[in-house]
Amino acid sequence: MTETRTGSPLSAGTTTGVSRRTLLKGTAAAAGVAIGSGAITGFPTIWAQNIKNVTLRQFGTGVSNLNAVADKVKEDLGFTLQMTALDSDAVAQRAVTQPKSYDIADIEYWICKKVFPAGVMQPMDVSKIKNFDKIVPIFVNGKLTPESAVAQGTAPHTVGFVEGKDSIKFAKSATQWMTLIPTIYNADTLGIRPDLVGRPISSWKDLLDPAFKGKASILNIPSIGIMDAAMVCEAMGEVKYGDKGNMTKEEIDKTLKIMTDAKKAGQFRAFWKTFDESVNLMSSGEVIIQSMWSPAVAAVRAKGIQCVYQPLKEGYRAWGGGLGIAKHLSGLELEAAYEYINWYLSGWVGAYLNRQGYYSAVLDTAKEHMSPDEWAFWMEGQPAKTDILSPEGKVMEKAGAVRDGGSFQDRMGRVACWNAVMDEDRYMVRKWNEFVAA
Amino acid sequence: MTVSAVPSEASSASAAPRGGGVRRSLLRRVAPYLQAGPLALTLLVFLLIPILTIVAVSFWDYDSIRIYPDFVLTNYEELLTSPVTWKTYLNTVKFAALTWVITLLIGFTVAYFLAFHVQSTTWQMVLFLVCTIPFWTSNIIRMISWIPFLGRNGLLNSGLISAGLIDQPLEFLLFSDFAVVLAFVHLYALFMVVPIFNSMMRIDRALVEAARDGGASAAQVVWNVILPLAKPGIAIGSIFVVTLVMGDFITVRLMSGGQSASIGLMIANEISLLQYPAAAANAVVLLAVVLIMVVAMLRIVDIRKEL
């Protein structure tokens, strides 16, 4: 007791001294942060020295978790980005159940609808996003042009914003707090083998044409597969949907009844779940018509096998993904995350994604990183003047080729629905499993 | 190690020094527990606690985002009242039964050949090692390599067509129940061969000779002498094959082209959709079914007695 008492004035004095010094240091650091955040992008900031020690862990689906991006981040920004690529289901699972295991989540919008309300992520302040104004309006108000209609399903803008800094409630219109920064998106349709189908394909309903019995396939990720099934059933005129992206139980039953009957009649050769499965099915000729992803079509073509990503009269089923920040991120790491996101929208990645046949969120900056011929081919639907190279430098298309489905406006302007999570999600998944097991 | 360490511990722990006899009897009583301790602890931490957790979670509630600690029976209700579950169990049991019969026939024949036909021990070992060669590559690779072989334009079909045996490619070869069972047999036959071979090697050759001397035909020797004595091996092999097939999910998915269902696949699907309580309920039911099957097998063959 006595000891403590005698000791206390002395120690108090020391504490004050230390705390004052810490305080001063802290203020300086805070000032540094404040100055830095005003000028985040591109420029070496005050913490440029210690930012090199930062490691951000990003995970997401294989489409956009590319090592080339991590390498370029190291080169341009100086910090380390660790990439983990998983399939869609695993992404949703990890995002919710292991929020401490990542700093940046690269997730799809329909998964965002499940993940964000779990409270594992923090909204982003759009005032810190330099190119926010240039983001394609689909992600802000759902319309590509002021006249275009808003597509059905979990359209990105419906889960793109929350009401406040700590909110987990999606906002009806754009706010200052964004859930995901859109990075990559595309319009999906059916892939076909023109050499084997033997006739023009023009509608989603061709998937269930008995002529292709035992040679069709559909993807077995329920939330996406059900949308393809809905496109087919609607095209057949068998089911009329209020909203394909939010079906009633009755609509789900009707849709899966049609699919189950087709399965029992032997329409499908297989169901696929991963990118390479769909490529193998198509290139081996096991399947000649299936729901497919555009880079998978490109991968089949790269083997010298004819494969077309067939535009259909009912329009496209679209999907989109974006980067979100984990809740636990703060301080230097958070600033690094913002810097990374700003860099993401600054063009290099955009051009990289565009060259793979996807679309980037900010088109203007991507354009600066592409040659006029590349831009004309990928974005304007014009015939290529020279050979079109993949981002790795391999020839993808010979001069004279035209992109399936035409220009950006033609494709994204004809989106009929987005991949979705429905209110009756649990029921739908049960019914989908019944269909698969039937 | 443990035994030598124990006396010093015991003596230091006991407050009052006692006679050596007492210490020795204490040691004698404690030693078995200490010996069983590490395994018991491992099983407790890595088997019992996880299983109890699964059982607990199987009663929880969930929605598409989270799971809620609760006590509801809906998971079991939805599982057991769904025709899909019954169909899937039937399908899985069908795969298990087919695989079991075929691997048993192959396993018994191969083991019999190795144990009774090959006379030199060296050759027995060499041939036995040959059997294990497929296991030098991974399970998945061995499975996937069937796909280009069996495909519509695969090696087998194009071979048969160019040999003029068929006009149209055989569709049933790939993405069918046939393909699933074929892959299972390929993957698991060795699990049957090894234990049967092992128990056959223990059979006293004098018994076979005695049976021959008694006038038994070769078939009678196999049926009345070797088969009963190889029973423990058959039981162990059967337990391997049946439990492996019942729990499998990747073989069924790849070889059926995703068009066939198995319990394992059902659980994997539920997990991937964040429906952990439903998956847990399914796992508990599967565990019960497999345990019942194993108990039934052990009822027929008393392994402890036979060993």
Side-chain angles (χ1 to χ4, degrees):
Chain A
M1 282 294 271
T2 358
E3 254 176 27
T4 333
R5 223 175 264 162
T6 45
S8 64
L10 194 82
S11 66
T14 347
T15 324
T16 339
V18 170
S19 71
R20 189 179 294 150
R21 219 175 300 149
T22 341
L23 188 73
L24 282 173
K25 252 199 230 163
T27 332
V33 172
I35 297 163
S37 57
I40 309 170
T41 47
F43 300 98
T45 45
I46 282 175
W47 57 84
Q49 286 313 307
N50 38 3
I51 208 168
K52 286 199 171 55
N53 303 327
V54 171
T55 299
L56 291 179
R57 297 160 302 163
Q58 176 181 327
F59 82 110
T61 48
V63 288
S64 51
N65 283 264
L66 310 157
N67 283 326
V69 172
D71 294 344
K72 191 73 178 165
V73 164
K74 188 80 193 163
E75 196 183 316
D76 283 4
L77 302 177
F79 58 82
T80 308
L81 192 67
Q82 277 174 5
M83 296 278 204
T84 311
L86 303 165
D87 64 67
S88 304
D89 288 341
V91 165
Q93 200 180 334
R94 178 144 172 206
V96 177
T97 58
Q98 302 166 47
K100 290 262 157 61
S101 74
Y102 59 88
D103 305 311
I104 294 186
D106 182 348
I107 56 181
E108 288 162 70
Y109 278 91
W110 62 272
I111 292 175
C112 178
K113 191 172 176 183
K114 283 186 178 187
V115 170
F116 216 88
V120 293
M121 301 177 70
Q122 54 177 304
M124 276 169 279
D125 185 349
V126 297
S127 63
K128 287 186 171 181
I129 310 293
K130 206 179 136 209
N131 283 314
F132 175 73
D133 296 338
K134 295 184 190 156
I135 288 176
V136 175
I138 292 179
F139 296 94
V140 180
N141 59 20
K143 296 177 171 191
L144 185 61
T145 60
E147 297 81 44
S148 53
V150 175
Q152 295 179 348
T154 305
H157 73 285
T158 60
V159 295
F161 297 89
V162 285
E163 290 173 347
K165 191 177 186 315
D166 297 310
S167 176
I168 51 168
K169 202 160 170 257
F170 295 119
K172 293 221 158 51
S173 61
T175 65
Q176 204 198 329
W177 301 100
M178 208 163 188
T179 56
L180 299 179
I181 290 292
T183 51
I184 185 170
Y185 51 100
N186 207 346
D188 283 353
T189 179
L190 295 176
I192 59 164
R193 283 279 300 267
D195 51 335
L196 299 177
V197 290
R199 70 171 174 82
I201 302 293
S202 63
S203 164
W204 279 90
K205 70 177 179 208
D206 290 328
L207 185 68
L208 292 192
D209 184 338
F212 307 134
K213 186 179 160 190
K215 293 173 178 177
S217 176
I218 192 167
L219 85 172
N220 183 13
I221 300 174
S223 300
I224 306 176
I226 189 77
M227 303 305 288
D228 282 347
M231 292 296 279
V232 171
C233 294
E234 196 175 50
M236 290 166 82
E238 296 284 341
V239 188
K240 275 191 91 68
Y241 298 93
D243 178 354
K244 285 188 286 299
N246 203 3
M247 301 181 193
T248 61
K249 281 189 177 177
E250 195 192 348
E251 287 168 344
I252 294 170
D253 287 345
K254 274 193 205 160
T255 309
L256 288 174
K257 169 92 170 54
I258 292 169
M259 300 307 280
T260 307
D261 289 347
K263 186 191 175 205
K264 285 191 174 145
Q267 181 70 11
F268 300 109
R269 179 67 169 152
F271 296 137
W272 62 269
K273 205 154 191 174
T274 61
F275 179 88
D276 48 311
E277 276 179 314
S278 74
V279 173
N280 289 336
L281 284 175
M282 206 64 162
S283 50
S284 65
E286 298 293 338
V287 161
I288 60 175
I289 181 167
Q290 66 175 350
S291 56
M292 219 170 168
W293 294 336
S294 82
V297 174
V300 174
R301 267 212 293 255
K303 296 183 179 183
I305 295 162
Q306 283 187 57
C307 188
V308 172
Y309 207 41
Q310 184 61 50
L312 304 168
K313 63 183 179 210
E314 295 88 8
Y316 294 88
R317 174 188 54 74
W319 58 271
L323 296 176
I325 300 178
K327 187 139 211 164
H328 66 83
L329 220 59
S330 63
L332 188 62
E333 265 110 22
L334 184 60
E335 292 305 326
Y338 271 108
E339 193 156 349
Y340 166 57
I341 284 165
N342 275 312
W343 171 83
Y344 210 105
L345 298 180
S346 72
W348 186 87
V349 190
Y352 194 98
L353 298 175
N354 284 357
R355 275 190 207 108
Q356 288 193 316
Y358 302 111
Y359 295 120
S360 62
V362 178
L363 299 178
D364 303 356
T365 55
K367 190 174 184 178
E368 292 162 16
H369 286 76
M370 295 171 84
S371 74
D373 188 38
E374 278 181 324
W375 183 262
F377 173 80
W378 287 115
M379 304 305 290
E380 289 168 352
Q382 289 169 16
K385 291 199 188 73
T386 55
D387 284 355
I388 293 295
L389 305 181
S390 72
E392 294 86 28
K394 260 177 31 186
V395 176
M396 279 182 101
E397 298 286 350
K398 291 265 185 295
V402 182
R403 179 174 189 172
D404 298 325
S407 72
F408 176 76
Q409 298 288 338
D410 284 345
R411 288 169 57 106
M412 290 314 293
R414 295 194 48 236
V415 168
C417 63
W418 291 83
N419 286 349
V421 175
M422 311 180 183
D423 295 338
E424 296 290 350
D425 192 40
R426 194 168 158 175
Y427 182 78
M428 186 277 286
V429 169
R430 242 178 67 202
K431 289 286 153 182
W432 181 268
N433 285 339
E434 283 176 24
F435 156 58
V436 170
Chain B
M1 280 290 280
T2 339
V3 180
S4 68
V6 165
S8 66
E9 265 179 39
S11 61
S12 65
S14 57
R18 282 176 199 174
V22 180
R23 204 186 299 162
R24 190 144 302 209
S25 76
L26 181 73
L27 172 67
R28 199 164 290 154
R29 266 191 295 147
V30 173
Y33 292 101
L34 288 177
Q35 284 174 317
L39 182 64
L41 198 70
T42 313
L43 289 181
L44 180 77
V45 174
F46 294 106
L47 188 72
L48 201 61
I49 294 178
I51 288 179
L52 289 178
T53 315
I54 291 172
V55 172
V57 170
S58 71
F59 292 104
W60 289 9
D61 200 8
Y62 66 99
D63 58 25
S64 61
I65 303 157
R66 271 182 259 195
I67 52 179
Y68 306 97
D70 202 349
F71 187 86
V72 291
L73 292 171
T74 34
N75 299 316
Y76 286 99
E77 248 169 55
E78 280 182 4
L79 182 70
L80 298 177
T81 55
S82 157
V84 181
T85 311
W86 295 100
K87 212 184 276 173
T88 312
Y89 266 92
L90 208 65
N91 206 33
T92 311
V93 170
K94 181 184 83 186
F95 285 143
L98 282 171
T99 311
W100 178 73
V101 169
I102 299 169
T103 51
L104 179 60
L105 285 175
I106 294 174
F108 192 85
T109 319
V110 171
Y112 181 82
F113 174 78
L114 286 176
F116 292 98
H117 267 266
V118 181
Q119 295 300 329
S120 97
T121 328
T122 324
W123 275 108
Q124 269 177 349
M125 282 307 125
V126 168
L127 291 175
F128 182 73
L129 286 176
V130 167
C131 288
T132 65
I133 286 180
F135 279 69
W136 296 358
T137 53
S138 101
N139 215 323
I140 302 257
I141 297 204
R142 273 182 292 149
M143 192 189 333
I144 287 180
S145 51
W146 280 111
I147 293 175
F149 180 76
L150 297 174
R152 184 177 280 144
N153 305 311
L155 284 174
L156 187 59
N157 267 325
S158 39
L160 289 174
I161 289 175
S162 56
L165 290 172
I166 48 170
D167 311 325
Q168 285 288 316
L170 298 171
E171 304 270 326
F172 74 90
L173 288 176
L174 187 59
F175 301 138
S176 58
D177 288 357
F178 169 80
V180 175
V181 173
L182 180 73
F184 273 139
V185 169
H186 175 211
L187 293 177
Y188 300 143
L190 192 68
F191 290 102
M192 220 32 143
V193 174
V194 174
I196 297 179
F197 175 65
N198 187 39
S199 56
M200 277 182 180
M201 290 302 281
R202 291 153 179 264
I203 296 174
D204 191 345
R205 305 295 137 134
L207 292 174
V208 180
E209 262 174 54
R212 284 225 187 87
D213 291 347
S217 69
Q220 278 173 322
V221 172
V222 170
W223 187 254
N224 293 319
V225 180
I226 294 172
L227 186 67
L229 291 172
K231 259 186 182 173
I234 294 175
I236 294 172
S238 307
I239 291 173
F240 273 132
V241 170
V242 168
T243 49
L244 282 168
V245 173
M246 290 298 289
D248 177 275
F249 67 99
I250 195 72
T251 311
V252 175
R253 184 165 96 70
L254 284 178
M255 298 306 290
S256 74
Q259 296 212 72
S260 235
S262 75
I263 308 297
L265 203 57
M266 231 159 93
I267 296 174
N269 275 340
E270 282 160 348
I271 290 175
S272 69
L273 294 156
L274 298 174
Q275 302 177 338
Y276 290 102
N282 214 335
V284 170
V285 173
L286 175 62
L287 184 66
V289 170
V290 171
L291 282 180
I292 291 169
M293 290 169 99
V294 170
V295 167
M297 279 188 252
L298 293 181
R299 268 289 169 88
I300 298 170
V301 183
D302 184 350
I303 290 186
R304 266 200 297 181
K305 201 182 82 191
E306 306 274 350
L307 286 178

